[in-house]
Amino acid sequence: DPPAYANGPVQGYRIFCTETATGREQNVEVDGLSYRLEGLKKFTEYTLRFLAYNRYGPGVSTEDVTVTTLSD
């Protein structure tokens, strides 16, 4: 969902995806409210964070969400 309080219209979102074991982080800029992460390793734990940004800069990121991929 969009942020509850924003200091202007949201221009986009950033997703930060970190492979827990290696600490390797990727970030992706997204225009909409959904995005499909691809190229993830099987049976691997990842930590995700999300933030919204507008013309004034980035907002506060979410708390970390930890997920583990399945076989496919």
Side-chain angles (χ1 to χ4, degrees):
D1 291 332
Y5 303 101
N7 62 353
V10 172
Q11 292 179 317
Y13 299 90
R14 285 195 186 103
I15 301 171
F16 297 89
C17 179
T18 304
E19 187 178 332
T20 305
T22 65
R24 183 174 164 256
E25 182 179 79
Q26 301 176 352
N27 68 70
V28 179
E29 292 196 12
V30 179
D31 291 329
L33 294 177
S34 66
Y35 183 79
R36 181 181 177 145
L37 289 171
E38 296 183 350
L40 302 177
K41 296 177 182 177
K42 298 177 182 183
F43 302 112
T44 303
E45 184 177 88
Y46 292 89
T47 302
L48 303 171
R49 290 183 299 120
F50 311 90
L51 66 79
Y53 64 90
N54 62 21
R55 66 182 181 158
Y56 300 110
V60 177
S61 70
T62 63
E63 296 291 323
D64 288 349
V65 176
T66 302
V67 297
T68 302
T69 55
L70 301 174
S71 62
D72 286 320

